[in-house]
Amino acid sequence: MEEVPPDQATPTTPSLEDAALFFHQYPRPGKLEIQATKPLGNQRDLALAYSPGVAAPCLAIEADPLKAADYTARSNLVAVVSNGSAVLGLGNIGPLAAKPVMEGKAVLFKKFAAIDVFDIEIDAPNIDSMVSVVSALEPTFGGINLEDIKAPECFEVEAQLRERMKIPVFHDDQHGTAIIVAAAITNGLDLAGKSLGEAKIVTSGAGAAALACLNLLVSLGAKRENIWITDIEGVVHEGRSELMDRWKSVYAQKTDKRTLAEVIPDADVFLGLSAAGVLKPAYLTEMAENPLILALANPTPEIMPDFARKARPDAMICTGRSDFPNQVNNVLCFPYIFRGALDAGATTINEEMKAAAVRAIAQLAREEPSDVAARAYSGETPTFGPDYLIPSPFDPRLILRIAPAVAEAAHASGVAARPIEDMAAYCDRLNRFVFRSGLVMKPVFTAAQASQNKRVVYADGEDERVLRAAQVVLEDKLAEPILIGRPEVIEARLQRYGLKIRPGVDFELINPENDPRYRDYVDELTQKSGRRGITTDVAKMLVRTNTTVIASIALSRGEADAMICGLEGRYERHLRHVRVIVGLRDGARDLSALSMLIAQRGVTFFTDTYVTVDPCAEEIVEMTVLAAQEIERFGIEPKAALLSHSNFGSRDSTSALKMREATAMLHHIAPGLQVDGEMHSDSALDPTLRQRVYAHSTLDGEANLLVFPNLDSANITLNAVKTMTDGLHVGPILLGTAKPAHILTPSVTSRGVVNMTALAVVEAAQRQAGLPEALRA
């Protein structure tokens, strides 16, 4: 194999390694914990949870084993099992070293599909010991996800376990990859005007994933005689004895061809699951018209997309990397296949269920993006075509399409022990989960990366959190940072913290002690605030010493697209400068602040948490509309509840009347917004309780935007809930400014700075694109 050109290599940076080690160690080692789902607050709770009450469900399950799904967590519990013999990119590192990977897999199950997981790393190097250990676990789990087991042993392990166990057994390295590859090939061939039954498929690599892909493609209609496999020993052909097994032999061709170069001519599909650089640009010129290239080796593909496109401009290209279109990522399917299988009580995951997942994924890529999704992706949501054959791994609709399709296929094929009777209700339940999953920031980051290098100026450029955030912003290509600070201080701190970015090379630096724009900034400040008591002498002093003033002027002058400040000092002081220098956007009465809290139960927005002490009804209306517009940036439909100590007219105090009046005004001016009030916070978050209190509420489901009658109630509630839930606070998000300007708080972390940077970039991009700001009916 030829050496990979330097520009195709993907080295691991020391900073990423250090960050990963820190991430895994703090604040607690590992990525998982176990929590009780029932209250244990008194003696009766203990009696129900254990002795003597636990005897009742035990006896019920003994009489009817299916009752385990009703009385235990088994129907939502999956084992991720590995012996560490083939860890992606690391090889045979053993079960203990594989544990971080298996914990990561468990986190993905939980995050994407609300499935609980125990990761189980077993010291079982051979087939018999693996089968013996895993099959004995059947009473504990509703499904088994085999992971990172080397071929060809993985085939036999899975086959024996499927035979012995009456729960789903799924080797994701095989079938997860196969399902996504099959969806990509389905759509790619359709775009090329070709059929799967006639397509010539050439594969580089003959491991578990490659053979599973081919087996699934054959079950979907591909012809064995049209499939050519190559591996390290060359073409898989009849009579070959080197590195052959019974699974690979199925595809042995009667031929005298021995190399990839000899079998690639006229191929419609190249499927690479092998090594970097295997597919040469010259080979592509021999392929059929509109070839589909799946170069899935990681981290460096069999051919880099730019090389492939140069050789064949008509090619459709998929890789396993997130920095190119058409990413083949197993997270596209495995959480949702298990979700559907578990919910239907499936005894296995059969070919019909896998085919249903293929069709669901392929069809989702063809769907028109929703209005909500378009807003989340800055109006540039990718649409079906050569660069969008399969959905994004973070498309929130994946669970809504795959899980029901798999559950229905399980029922239709006779393997569902608990068929889903009300599919509409099931889909509604899945839809509610989507907006409680906490993945709300992902589309914001995707949109920021696509926003053409927006400039973000950081007032606190000398702060460690900003310096660390700036490096992440640059590595993730979210924005072009502009830092305000003294060069010698920033240089020293970058060296102290081991950060590789450098001023003047990676980011622009504004030195408050010596910047050529000093006089222009003084003139700008005097013009903006001369009627607010700022004399020329005071303006000179502020431009030398106040970094929030400097950042605000840079933003106002168009030298930056957004600004971040507030890591030091009082919020009100920063707010005063932003209000005067950056100013209000057209039509805004005043500024307000929105806070987002990402907690275990989902995402909730709070307003106004930092600005207006006691807003009037008109100000409540404006901040609610502005907050709703901001929420739509996340691809979420806002559902606003105007909160009060009064519950739908139970009290007539001044604050209750204010919230009642604001609700009526909102119904009139924003008929497209789901909003109701005045109500208690528990009525806002519990639809069942709200229905009992007031059956005619115009709010559907849980509120996700809580609007408070004054600053005290909003700020106190936010900080109490944040502490009690260990939630992640994003914000405060300043609303109503003429340009994106956000004032953070001294408690913000570097992660929080990165989050707000992405949000500010998306806001700047949407404003510059002229996207509508007003709510529509």
Side-chain angles (χ1 to χ4, degrees):
M1 185 174 65
E2 293 182 5
E3 184 178 352
V4 180
D7 58 354
Q8 291 198 48
T10 308
T12 302
T13 61
S15 59
L16 180 61
E17 291 179 356
D18 293 342
L21 292 173
F22 185 89
F23 177 86
H24 281 77
Q25 186 174 3
Y26 298 101
R28 293 169 55 183
K31 291 170 287 202
L32 300 171
E33 67 176 1
I34 297 174
Q35 291 185 342
T37 60
K38 297 294 189 292
L40 297 172
N42 54 43
Q43 184 59 40
R44 179 171 175 78
D45 290 343
L46 292 173
L48 291 171
Y50 196 54
S51 180
V54 74
C58 290
L59 294 173
I61 295 169
E62 182 188 29
D64 180 3
L66 290 179
K67 290 294 183 182
D70 297 328
Y71 301 132
T72 75
R74 182 175 185 261
S75 63
N76 194 53
L77 186 62
V78 167
V80 171
V81 183
S82 179
N83 66 356
S85 59
V87 178
L88 180 64
L90 301 175
N92 187 359
I93 60 175
L96 184 59
K99 188 172 180 63
V101 179
M102 303 311 126
E103 284 190 358
K105 191 81 171 192
V107 170
L108 296 179
F109 267 109
K110 186 67 174 180
K111 196 69 171 177
F112 286 93
I115 294 173
D116 295 317
V117 167
F118 288 148
D119 64 290
I120 300 179
E121 296 75 32
I122 57 177
D123 187 7
N126 58 59
I127 293 172
D128 290 342
S129 58
M130 281 209 73
V131 171
S132 176
V133 170
V134 177
S135 61
L137 298 172
E138 183 169 353
T140 301
F141 296 99
I144 304 292
N145 182 96
L146 300 175
E147 192 78 15
D148 293 348
I149 303 167
K150 70 184 179 72
E153 288 89 338
C154 60
F155 300 117
E156 191 63 43
V157 168
E158 186 190 44
Q160 291 191 29
L161 289 174
R162 285 169 60 92
E163 182 69 24
R164 293 174 61 168
M165 303 179 78
K166 300 303 179 186
I167 58 175
V169 178
F170 188 83
H171 186 203
D172 184 45
D173 299 326
Q174 293 184 55
H175 308 300
T177 302
I179 288 166
I180 304 159
V181 163
I185 290 177
T186 296
N187 281 342
L189 290 178
D190 185 69
L191 279 175
K194 303 174 183 179
S195 69
L196 182 59
E198 300 298 324
K200 178 179 178 181
I201 301 170
V202 174
T203 299
S204 174
L211 292 175
C213 290
L214 297 177
N215 292 339
L216 181 57
L217 289 171
V218 168
S219 74
L220 294 172
K223 299 292 193 301
R224 290 183 188 272
E225 58 266 28
N226 294 336
I227 295 174
W228 298 76
I229 297 180
T230 65
D231 61 11
I232 196 170
E233 291 292 334
V235 174
V236 173
H237 61 88
E238 292 183 4
R240 194 182 108 172
S241 58
E242 299 87 356
L243 294 181
M244 293 296 289
D245 53 57
R246 64 186 179 92
W247 298 278
K248 193 186 301 184
S249 296
V250 171
Y251 294 99
Q253 293 275 17
K254 186 176 182 179
T255 181
D256 59 359
K257 297 175 181 178
R258 296 294 183 264
T259 66
L260 176 61
E262 291 177 280
V263 297
I264 198 74
D266 299 321
D268 298 290
V269 177
F270 170 82
L271 174 59
L273 287 151
S274 53
V278 167
L279 184 62
K280 311 304 178 189
Y283 297 175
L284 270 64
T285 62
E286 301 293 322
M287 293 184 70
E289 185 180 359
N290 298 315
L292 175 59
I293 299 164
L294 296 103
L296 306 183
N298 254 327
T300 308
E302 285 79 2
I303 187 168
M304 293 295 285
D306 51 346
F307 283 78
R309 200 167 298 284
K310 183 178 180 180
R312 285 299 297 266
D314 61 336
M316 294 169 280
I317 306 165
C318 302
T319 70
R321 291 172 43 154
S322 61
D323 52 345
F324 296 110
N326 293 323
Q327 182 192 12
V328 174
N329 186 330
N330 286 16
V331 80
L332 265 166
C333 70
F334 74 79
Y336 317 121
I337 289 172
F338 269 97
R339 181 74 279 158
L342 293 173
D343 292 339
T347 57
T348 187
I349 294 176
N350 57 26
E351 293 303 306
E352 292 86 348
M353 295 161 72
K354 288 188 282 185
V358 171
R359 290 190 295 270
I361 294 170
Q363 183 57 42
L364 178 56
R366 297 165 177 260
E367 290 186 22
E368 291 294 326
S370 66
D371 292 341
V372 172
R375 284 192 296 267
Y377 286 91
S378 296
E380 299 176 0
T381 309
T383 55
F384 180 59
D387 289 331
Y388 193 70
L389 299 174
I390 46 179
S392 161
F394 293 92
D395 192 317
R397 298 170 294 176
L398 283 164
I399 192 172
L400 306 178
R401 303 295 185 271
I402 299 174
V406 169
E408 287 183 326
H411 185 191
S413 60
V415 299
R418 299 187 309 277
I420 296 171
E421 297 180 359
D422 189 342
M423 190 57 69
Y426 176 61
C427 291
D428 182 61
R429 193 172 83 218
L430 294 175
N431 191 60
R432 290 198 302 273
F433 163 74
V434 167
F435 294 104
R436 293 174 58 150
S437 64
L439 293 171
V440 66
M441 287 302 297
K442 179 56 187 178
V444 175
F445 275 76
T446 302
Q449 290 166 336
S451 294
Q452 300 300 317
N453 301 323
K454 292 293 179 287
R455 301 158 301 168
V456 178
V457 58
Y458 300 86
D460 303 285
E462 296 177 1
D463 192 286
E464 177 184 357
R465 292 164 293 178
V466 168
L467 294 172
R468 294 191 180 279
Q471 176 149 322
V472 174
V473 166
L474 285 164
E475 288 176 350
D476 291 352
K477 300 179 181 178
L478 298 174
E480 293 182 356
I482 303 171
L483 272 57
I484 300 175
R486 294 161 293 177
E488 66 278 8
V489 173
I490 288 179
E491 287 276 13
R493 291 182 179 179
L494 287 171
Q495 185 173 0
R496 182 194 311 166
Y497 305 140
L499 301 176
K500 62 182 181 180
I501 57 175
R502 290 294 176 263
V505 178
D506 301 299
F507 61 88
E508 182 184 342
L509 182 65
I510 297 177
N511 179 4
E513 295 180 342
N514 183 22
D515 190 277
R517 294 164 291 190
Y518 170 72
R519 293 187 182 280
D520 294 335
Y521 277 32
V522 170
D523 291 343
E524 181 85 11
L525 179 58
T526 304
Q527 180 181 352
K528 292 276 188 180
S529 57
R531 292 182 179 273
R532 294 176 178 262
I534 302 296
T535 64
T536 301
D537 288 340
V538 172
K540 290 180 179 178
M541 180 270 295
L542 289 174
V543 172
R544 286 285 190 215
T545 60
N546 192 305
T547 56
T548 296
V549 168
I550 299 170
S552 299
I553 295 173
L555 178 62
S556 178
R557 285 166 53 89
E559 296 167 357
D561 301 300
M563 67 170 279
I564 305 288
C565 66
L567 278 73
E568 301 290 342
R570 294 183 177 180
Y571 190 93
E572 313 84 72
R573 179 170 60 86
H574 299 288
L575 181 66
R576 187 183 314 118
H577 296 307
V578 169
R579 180 184 275 122
V580 171
I581 301 170
V582 178
L584 306 182
R585 81 181 200 184
D586 291 343
R589 295 169 59 97
D590 200 357
L591 304 179
S592 59
L594 175 70
S595 291
M596 179 171 70
L597 194 65
I598 305 174
Q600 191 67 34
R601 72 180 305 278
V603 178
T604 309
F605 296 85
F606 302 73
T607 196
D608 170 11
T609 47
Y610 282 90
V611 177
T612 311
V613 175
D614 187 15
C616 65
E618 288 79 6
E619 290 170 323
I620 293 285
V621 169
E622 178 173 278
M623 68 177 60
T624 303
V625 171
L626 291 174
Q629 292 169 3
E630 192 68 31
I631 292 170
E632 288 181 330
R633 292 191 206 280
F634 296 93
I636 296 175
E637 180 188 6
K639 297 183 178 183
L642 273 60
L643 303 184
S644 172
H645 68 285
S646 172
N647 209 17
F648 295 105
S650 63
R651 302 281 293 274
D652 286 330
S653 65
T654 300
S655 64
L657 291 173
K658 175 176 68 175
M659 301 306 278
R660 198 178 305 164
E661 180 185 356
T663 301
M665 295 170 65
L666 283 165
H667 285 159
H668 176 68
I669 69 167
L673 172 65
Q674 277 209 56
V675 59
D676 209 350
E678 80 288 8
M679 70 178 77
H680 289 173
S681 57
D682 54 357
S683 294
L685 299 173
D686 186 342
T688 303
L689 174 60
R690 185 167 67 247
Q691 179 71 15
R692 288 203 301 266
V693 174
Y694 182 63
H696 304 291
S697 174
T698 55
L699 193 60
D700 181 26
E702 296 181 18
N704 54 25
L705 170 58
L706 305 182
V707 183
F708 293 84
N710 56 49
L711 182 58
D712 282 346
S713 58
N715 191 273
I716 291 168
T717 302
L718 169 67
N719 286 293
V721 174
K722 178 176 67 173
T723 302
M724 293 168 64
T725 63
D726 196 26
L728 171 65
H729 177 212
V730 179
I733 304 165
L734 192 60
L735 306 176
T737 53
K739 294 184 177 182
H742 298 290
I743 306 168
L744 307 187
T745 61
S747 62
V748 72
T749 62
S750 61
R751 178 187 181 191
V753 176
V754 173
N755 283 337
M756 285 305 301
T757 299
L759 190 58
V761 166
V762 173
E763 181 182 355
Q766 291 182 343
R767 290 196 187 195
Q768 291 178 14
L771 295 186
E773 295 282 356
L775 285 168
R776 300 305 185 200

